[in-house]
Amino acid sequence: MRVIRNGVVHTQTEQGTVEGDVLIEDGKIAAVGDVDEILSSASQTKSDDVDAPADAAEIDVDGAHVTPGLIDAHSHAGMAEWAEPEDGDFNEGTSATTPHVSALDGFHPHDEELKYAFQNGVTSVSTRMGSGNVIGGIIVSVKTYGDLADEMLIREDGMKAAMGENPKRFHGENHDRQPSTRPGVAATLRQKLMEAEDYLEQKQDAEDEDESFERDLGMENLSRVLTGDLPLRVHAHRADDIRTVFRIVEEFDIEDVSIEHATEGHLIADEFTSRDVPAVVGPSISSASKYELRNITFETPRILHNEGVKIAIQTDAPVLPQQHLDVCVGLAVREGLPAEAALDTVTTNAAEILGIEDRVGTLAEGTDADIAVWDGEFWRVDTRTKHVFVDGEHVFDREVDSVDPREEYAW
């Protein structure tokens, strides 16, 4: 048992922000509030000179801000080795459609990107295959601290797909095969979805006739998108590519979809709202390195938020270092995203988009004790983490774990 005392606790629940304490038990949030109330609700006893159970470890954070651990809803952390991105396992480039692969099988729990992530308050990420393929494979939400991928796994949270320049260039220019155009990208996605529809029908017919059926791993995975078991998460920057996504998901009655990057999402914000489609925005610290990024701006989160779109903010790590998710949020606040909405974009919104809100994203009783303690408002550039907890384990204490950079970066 552990007690975090005297914090400004941003619960991200109906309880709101409270000045008080957080009780952690068995890796879960046990309660939030005044310590006396916490101990009472936990059926604990205390004497006049003992404010917590004898076995409780106590940390007095002296008015520091306490938040749920941050969540990056679009990342490749753990899929590319820190300082060796060319060794990445995120594009299975042997085909334009690879729904049979899963990011979990390429996730490296000891990638240093993950260490820097949790030390800076990012305790969960949705890590995935890259955008070289039209269909990239299964995406997984994972914790950033741990030793085994299977134990860090929160859930499979989607099927990766991509529109626009990346699959065009990766396949058309590099391998001289479809797709080499935007129509080719759309047609490739449609063709695979049609095959998945046929697969489901044939599988059902075989079951009805009690006949054998030869399963296909890719079709099994892609069928889950059609049945609503697996969201479709589509990389799309340009407004016309986003509209193509909307057109295709309507053709195939796919209800659970998110737009990833949404660089020009602010141009068609009303279409997100009318369809109730969320946007995972970013990374916006970039020059227009390709034509489809020409309208990149940190104003996108504000515009989408003001239109009522559910948004999360991403780093696309290692495109931007995973540890700087808070900086991306701060720059969005600078460009007009309401400060009171900042924490939502990397906690509750991200968790709800990924379907992991029962585990992370709030400090609700019974959720995982993933907690960040900050020496200021988390999104300000001069704010740093003081403590970080993952599943109740105290994984980072800045006073204890910080290393003199002259030692850390010495040859």
Side-chain angles (χ1 to χ4, degrees), residues 51-302:
D51 293 329
D55 61 348
E58 297 187 29
I59 297 176
D60 191 329
V61 299
D62 192 24
H65 290 261
V66 180
T67 72
L70 306 188
I71 304 166
D72 192 329
H74 183 117
S75 173
H76 306 277
M79 302 295 292
E81 299 297 338
W82 181 263
E84 295 186 31
E86 66 278 3
D87 192 37
D89 284 315
F90 40 76
N91 277 314
E92 177 56 50
T94 53
S95 170
T97 56
T98 56
H100 54 288
V101 303
S102 171
L104 186 65
D105 296 322
F107 179 73
H108 182 201
H110 298 293
D111 179 6
E112 285 188 84
E113 181 107 44
L114 300 170
K115 177 184 75 173
Y116 299 130
F118 73 72
Q119 288 180 343
N120 288 276
V122 183
T123 56
S124 300
V125 298
S126 174
T127 194
R128 75 256 331 265
M129 309 302 293
S131 54
N133 293 345
V134 178
I135 301 175
I138 288 180
I139 303 166
V140 292
S141 289
V142 293
K143 300 294 181 77
T144 55
Y145 177 83
D147 288 317
L148 298 173
D150 300 82
E151 294 177 356
M152 299 162 74
L153 176 67
I154 303 173
R155 75 174 290 237
E156 295 179 340
D157 71 61
M159 175 64 70
K160 174 67 182 286
M163 309 299 289
E165 297 297 327
N166 286 18
K168 277 178 55 180
R169 292 175 178 176
F170 194 84
H171 293 280
E173 294 182 11
N174 296 338
H175 299 288
D176 194 27
R177 64 189 178 205
Q178 187 174 314
S180 62
T181 63
R182 278 184 161 78
V185 172
T188 300
L189 179 55
R190 280 192 180 94
Q191 181 63 43
K192 278 297 174 181
L193 291 171
M194 288 172 62
E195 290 175 17
E197 286 182 326
D198 292 343
Y199 181 86
L200 278 172
E201 184 177 347
Q202 293 162 10
K203 185 177 180 180
Q204 186 61 56
D205 288 344
E207 290 179 4
D208 292 344
E209 298 297 328
D210 196 24
E211 296 175 348
S212 62
F213 181 78
E214 184 176 352
R215 294 186 299 164
D216 178 278
L217 180 58
M219 288 295 103
E220 287 285 333
N221 290 343
L222 199 52
S223 294
R224 295 171 61 190
V225 174
L226 298 177
T227 60
D229 180 53
L230 204 61
L232 186 64
R233 309 205 180 280
V234 190
H235 162 120
H237 289 283
R238 271 175 30 180
D240 57 325
D241 286 332
I242 296 169
R243 285 194 175 101
T244 298
V245 176
F246 291 158
R247 191 160 55 247
I248 291 173
V249 298
E250 288 171 1
E251 290 169 12
F252 288 89
D253 294 322
I254 298 171
E255 295 184 358
D256 199 345
V257 61
S258 63
I259 300 299
E260 312 286 310
H261 304 300
T263 301
E264 292 187 350
H266 57 277
L267 301 180
I268 53 171
D270 58 328
E271 297 192 33
F272 281 83
T273 306
S274 65
R275 293 174 171 83
D276 194 25
V277 172
V280 183
V281 182
S284 303
I285 305 179
S286 171
S287 59
S289 57
K290 51 187 176 180
Y291 180 74
E292 64 188 14
L293 298 181
R294 71 195 186 284
N295 284 319
I296 196 166
T297 172
F298 269 104
E299 294 185 82
T300 305
R302 167 181 59 83

Side-chain angles (χ1 to χ4, degrees), residues 42-58:
S43 301
Q44 300 291 338
T45 59
K46 70 185 187 74
S47 63
D48 291 340
D49 57 350
V50 178
D51 293 329
D55 61 348
E58 297 187 29

